Every structure is written in structure tokens, then in C-alpha cells.
Amino acid sequence: MRKNSYFGEFGGQFVPETLMPVLLELEAAYEQYKDDSDFKEELRYYLTTYVGRPTPLYFARGLTEYLGGAKIYLKREDLNHTGAHKINNSLGQTLLAKKMGKKKIIAETGAGQHGVATATAAALLGCECTVFMGAEDVKRQSLNVFRMKLLGTQVIEVTSGTQTLKDATNEALRHWVATVRDSHYVIGSVVGPHPYPTLVRDFQSIIGEETKQQILEKEGRLPDYLVACVGGGSNAMGLFHPFVHDREIKMVGVEAAGCGVNTGQHAASLTAGSKGVLHGALSYILQDSDGQIIPAHSVSAGLDYPGVGPEHSYYKDSGRAQYEAITDEEALEAFQMLSRLEGIIPALESAHALAYVRKLAPTLSPEQVIVVNLSGRGDKDVETVSKLLGGRARE
Amino acid sequence: MSRIAETFTNLRLKGQKALIPYVSCGDPSLEFTEQLVLKLVEAGADLVELGVPYSDPVADGPTIQKASQRALAGGITLEKIFQLAARLRSRVETPLILMTYYNPIYRFGLEKYVSRAQEAGIDGLIVPDLPPEEARILKQITDPAEIDLIFLAAPTSTAERMEKIAALARGFIYCVSVTGVTGSRENIASGLEAFLAQIRSHTDLPLAVGFGIKSPETAGKAAAIADGVIVGSSLIERIEENLPLVKDEPERVINEVCAYFASLKKAMENTHFAMN
């Protein structure tokens, strides 16, 4: 067991032999390019001029006053091109794939944000792109499907299993196994076999790096709390990782409790799951006593995943981060709360983090500071929410 | 010598190649699987691969995925499969190999899994998502239990990896004939012979070819250059086509599957020992 493929006991490379050589090749390429000044410069160029980085760190005065207690800052990843943090990673990986001489890109998507981000990066960099999406999600996120098609990507509707993100990932892996010689699979979160959890974390760490600098400028000190939603966990890891050695900072990952963690209909792998292997890594997952994966449930397609990145599992067990779960209903309330108070419609994923902040902030003092990652904007979810609220926004 | 090694040695002495059926346990019922395996042995199965259905089988194509779903929907569990294996072991001498993904084993408990397999008379384990890098812990348990941990080699495996696989493997090496998932294909992959020759340069273990064996012709071609042939999806397709019949006339379906299996066996006779 090579130590660097694990975070404590979590991680690893549980994949068919066919994929092992390409994972080793990817690891070597990443080691070579991550410190390569030309590669870094090219990525920085696109992140600045194309994605729109740095994203602002916004003091949410209205929200802070409404909740009472700690000062709340929003890291505005929703302002990135394509509307979420996903583009940071998609662009980084697609650029890396090109350096490796691979011009065919594969991705999977749940809510569609990662699919759109990867389709965008592929269009920008002239790559052929295929995105796998569960038939259920294709229905829930038809606008994003159309966006991907506009961007020249082939969207493959996955009808096996639960027809959501888990099965889209299975199908993307199968497709990759068959085309591994000339394809790169852009995994969308800090999940999957080594080196993906590390690679995706590094591409997303720009969120935390910027936050660190920005909060020091605004407050002259580091925050007390970092809060972010966790599906696979890439936006959270991106925010958390640069602060990991600042031991006094509390990091809170917020999972989807769906209908409630006791109902069996949720996506809270860290809160209510157990250790197991899914999609190539050992981590906390949702499974039955026979090791069969249990389908996840969340109002947010982006959190609807029965696993979580292995580094989060490590943070949980080592106590470095704390993980909470927020129900569909609480997330829907927070979705409306931010829209009304700040004029920002958040992604349903981010609304989970906001719902936790809604509980947390009033318990803290006005000198304390919370940074919450607004991982994406809510345009894609407006239709879902409208249906759930019967077309009536809360008065 | 393990039952698997002994079987290959005996076949080698007779100048024959092994034909290994893959059955998806519990598809569509456990009773069906039990009768099917017994008949397959009568029809000439040299070893039998018992597939444990898994919810997320990433190395498998649509045929085995669907079979797994049918079995899971029918309430199949690991415990029931161990009982099935024990019943089969009391009736046949054929080596039995248990195939499943790593998570069901991990969840069940590695030690417990191997000891239950041993009690049930299982001779080997195949874990398609357990590359050599991750196999150390399981191998430390299977070796003293004298259960063969069977590794897969792929057309993408480098010489260095083949060396590593050969060093760990016991029983035989499962050679994945295509860069892809399981499922029957029209033709045997080009380059298979070169791929097998490459592995052969690293090991004396028997080499069995799987993934994509669809017809007597492909089975015959594979047998000409390997020590064994594994066939799964194309057997399951014959069950799938006859699902409505299975309940009322299971024997008819089993006979059809076995007749097809026997035709593969026949095509493999008279193939010469190409790899010695």
C-alpha cells in the first residue's frame, strides 16, 4: 500500500486492472505539471480572464443582521463562469488532459453543474466531450442538458440502476475502461480512486487560498468557522484545505439529510453511513449489511450521492472537521431566506450550508466570523423549488 | 496442490483446455442457479465461477448488470450464496471460484469472508476491483487459508504490472481479452495472442481468457492460445431471453444454456497446446 494514495485509512485505488496503468500515468503527469510554471501560468490565465477569478468574499450584512450573532461572509463561487465552483476543477483537469495528449473527455454529472463546466472547458480547449447523466437527473435538470448540448457535448442518458449520479458514475467508469487509451475522465468531486481526490482538491483549493487572503484584508484575522455543503465534497475541501493547519478554525461540512437521517431517505454518508468502497475509494458510504450500495436521496441533485471524498472521512474520524446534516425542508427555507435577504438565489446544494449557518450564527457573538461557501447559483434549481412550493414564494 | 492447480495440471496432461462458466447467483432464483451449476458440470464445466451480485458492478457490461439486479431483487445475500456453495461442494469435485467486488467482502469482514468461503469449499476468489496495489491485506488472509486469490491482467497492463501480478497470483491468471467491460462481442480481440504471450513470459501459471467470449468460434480461438476460457454474458443472455419460461419450465431453460455451453466445449476440443 503506497502511503500517498491514502488519507489515514481512507482512499486507495479499488479499480479494475484495466484502469490502473492510466491512474499511474495520471498521477505521474500531475506530479510533473502541478509545479510546472507554464502549466500554472496557463491555468491562472484562464481562471482570471475566462472564469472570472478571484471571486469576491462578500459581507452578507442583511443575513448577518437577520440572524443576529456572528458576521457572515459569502465566498461567491456562484459568480464563476458557468455558475459554480465546478469550473475550477474541470478547467484544471482538461488542461492537464491536453498536456497528456488526450483530447477526448468523459464526465459524469448529477445536477448538471459539473457536466456544464466540463462541456465548457472542452469547448474552450477544443476537446471532444461525452457526459453521462442519470435519466432521473436529465428530467430534473433539462436546462443544463440543453446547455451541454449547445456547448457541443454528447449527453448520454443513463437508465441503469437508480438513474442518478451514482449510476452515471458507474457508466462513465465503464466507458472509460473501454476508451482508456485516448480518453481522460474528469471526475467532478474529491471522490474516486487516487490520484483524483488529491488532484480535485488541489484544483479547488484556490477557493480557500483566496478566502484566506480576502478575510485577512477585511477582518485582519482568520475566520472562526468555515461552512460548506458536502455531496462528494469538492467545494468544501477547496475551502477547507488551505486552512487545515490553522487548528483554531472550525470547519463544518453540511450533508443532505433529505427527508431525515432516520428515514433512510437521505444522502448523509458521513453522518449516517459506514465504511466501504465505492467508485474506487474507501470512504464512508451508504450501504446495507451485505455491502450493497443504498440509493441516496436529496432535493438537490448535486448532493444526491451515496458516498463522499475519502479526505472528508479522514477529517471526520480525526476530528479535524465536523459534519452536520440538513433536511430538504430546511434547505428550501434557506434557499428562500438568502434570496430575500441578499438578492442572491443560491444553488440548493449551497442552501444546505446556509441552513446550517442559520442555526449556527445566532449562537455566536458579533465578534465572531463565519465564511460560508456559496458554491453555486440557483438558476438551475428555480424550477424544482417552484414546483415544491406550489409556485408560491414564501411571503 | 490446490484443487484449481490440480485441475489445470490434469487438463494439461490430457492436452485439454478449461472451460469455465460464470453464473450470476440467484438470477433469477437460487434454486435455478443450483440446478444450472450441476448441469453445467455434467456438460463439461472444468471450474465454476460463482458471481455474487453487486449493486455497482463497474467492470461489468449490461448483461451481468441486469442479472445482478434481478438477483438482488430476488433477495440474494452472501449468506445464501455460501450455503449454495456448500451444497454444490457436497455434490461435485469441480473447483468453485467466488467472484465479487471488494465492497461486499470489506463489509462482510475480510477474515470472516475467507473463513466462510473456506467452510463452504470455495477454492478461489476473484475480485475485479482489487488490483495488486490494494490486495496485500486480503492475500495475507487467503494464502494461509489455501484459497487462491486470482488476479486479473488487462491489455493495458505494462510489463512491470504483469510482473507484479504474476508474483502475487495463485491458481490462474484471469486475462481480460478486451479493453472494456464484460459482455459478448462479435470477434475475439485482435492482439490477444501477443497479450497472452507477454503475460506468459512472466509466469507459468495457467492463463484463462475472459470477457467477450460469444460463440463456439470465439471460444475455440481463445482456447487455441490460452489454458482456459471463461464465459459469462453469453450464458446469461440465454437465461434472460427465456425469463418467462424459467418459473414453469426451468429445466428447459437450463438445458438450452447447457446445450450452448456444450457447443463451446466441443469447439475447444482439438485445439493444440500453443502456449507451451
Side-chain angles (χ1 to χ4, degrees), chain B residues 24-213:
Chain B
S24 175
C25 293
D27 170 36
S29 73
L30 211 56
E31 298 70 37
F32 182 86
T33 304
E34 188 166 351
Q35 292 311 311
L36 176 66
V37 171
L38 294 172
K39 290 276 184 181
L40 282 167
V41 170
E42 277 177 31
D46 299 294
L47 302 86
V48 176
E49 190 182 345
L50 299 171
V52 179
Y54 178 52
S55 55
D56 295 73
V58 294
D60 287 303
T63 302
I64 293 181
Q65 283 179 55
K66 279 186 273 173
S68 301
Q69 278 174 6
R70 286 192 294 269
L72 289 171
I76 192 82
T77 61
L78 261 174
E79 202 50 57
K80 289 180 188 169
I81 291 169
F82 284 127
Q83 287 163 17
L84 166 76
R87 286 197 299 276
L88 290 170
R89 175 49 71 231
S90 69
R91 307 204 31 199
V92 299
E93 275 304 307
T94 316
L96 299 174
I97 299 158
L98 204 54
M99 189 307 291
T100 195
Y101 289 80
Y102 193 63
N103 194 51
I105 302 176
Y106 180 86
R107 176 66 168 165
F108 196 77
L110 270 55
E111 299 262 4
K112 189 173 147 203
Y113 186 84
V114 172
S115 84
R116 292 289 283 113
Q118 199 180 19
E119 283 162 24
I122 294 289
D123 304 291
L125 300 181
I126 294 176
V127 191
D129 56 348
L130 195 70
E133 280 80 354
E134 304 294 351
R136 193 176 52 93
I137 303 174
L138 186 58
K139 196 166 161 56
Q140 278 171 359
I141 304 168
T142 53
D143 277 357
E146 298 195 341
I147 285 186
D148 292 342
L149 187 57
I150 292 153
F151 284 85
L152 287 82
T156 52
S157 302
T158 55
E160 194 189 345
R161 296 193 60 74
M162 287 182 185
E163 186 74 54
K164 201 180 245 183
I165 291 163
L168 292 174
R170 279 177 54 156
F172 64 89
I173 293 179
Y174 190 133
C175 303
V176 177
S177 78
V178 292
T179 306
V181 294
T182 60
S184 59
R185 290 168 174 81
E186 286 311 313
N187 291 303
I188 200 95
S190 63
L192 179 62
E193 196 164 355
F195 164 52
L196 290 176
Q198 245 188 322
I199 303 176
R200 176 53 77 218
S201 70
H202 297 279
T203 183
D204 289 328
L205 280 176
L207 304 179
V209 169
F211 288 38
I213 305 300

Side-chain angles (χ1 to χ4, degrees), chain A residues 90-225:
Chain A
S90 294
L91 203 55
Q93 281 200 49
T94 307
L95 212 52
L96 185 62
K98 278 199 82 169
K99 295 280 181 204
M100 294 170 70
K102 299 196 171 188
K103 284 186 143 184
K104 284 186 182 165
I105 298 296
I106 304 165
E108 89 299 319
T109 196
Q113 290 305 90
H114 174 60
V116 169
T118 307
T120 300
L124 171 71
L125 299 172
C127 297
E128 198 180 298
C129 184
T130 307
V131 171
F132 293 84
M133 192 167 181
E136 194 57 40
D137 291 333
V138 167
K139 263 187 264 162
R140 289 199 275 192
Q141 303 287 349
S142 58
L143 190 60
N144 273 340
V145 173
F146 186 65
R147 286 166 82 191
M148 286 184 265
K149 288 180 178 168
L150 271 179
L151 292 161
T153 279
Q154 186 190 7
V155 180
I156 296 182
E157 195 170 326
V158 175
T159 53
S160 58
T162 59
Q163 312 196 351
T164 59
L165 181 56
K166 168 179 85 85
D167 295 282
T169 306
N170 288 339
E171 219 46 55
L173 277 166
R174 289 183 188 111
H175 183 79
W176 195 31
V177 169
T179 61
V180 69
R181 286 189 168 95
D182 59 355
S183 296
H184 174 72
Y185 177 15
V186 179
I187 290 186
S189 193
V190 286
V191 300
H194 174 73
Y196 281 101
T198 301
L199 192 148
V200 177
R201 175 198 74 199
D202 290 354
F203 284 133
Q204 292 295 1
S205 285
I206 193 162
I207 301 171
E209 284 155 16
E210 285 175 6
T211 300
K212 205 169 205 176
Q213 200 182 339
Q214 289 166 325
I215 199 73
L216 285 173
E217 279 163 18
K218 287 175 199 292
E219 291 287 332
R221 68 178 187 91
L222 295 178
D224 299 285
Y225 281 87

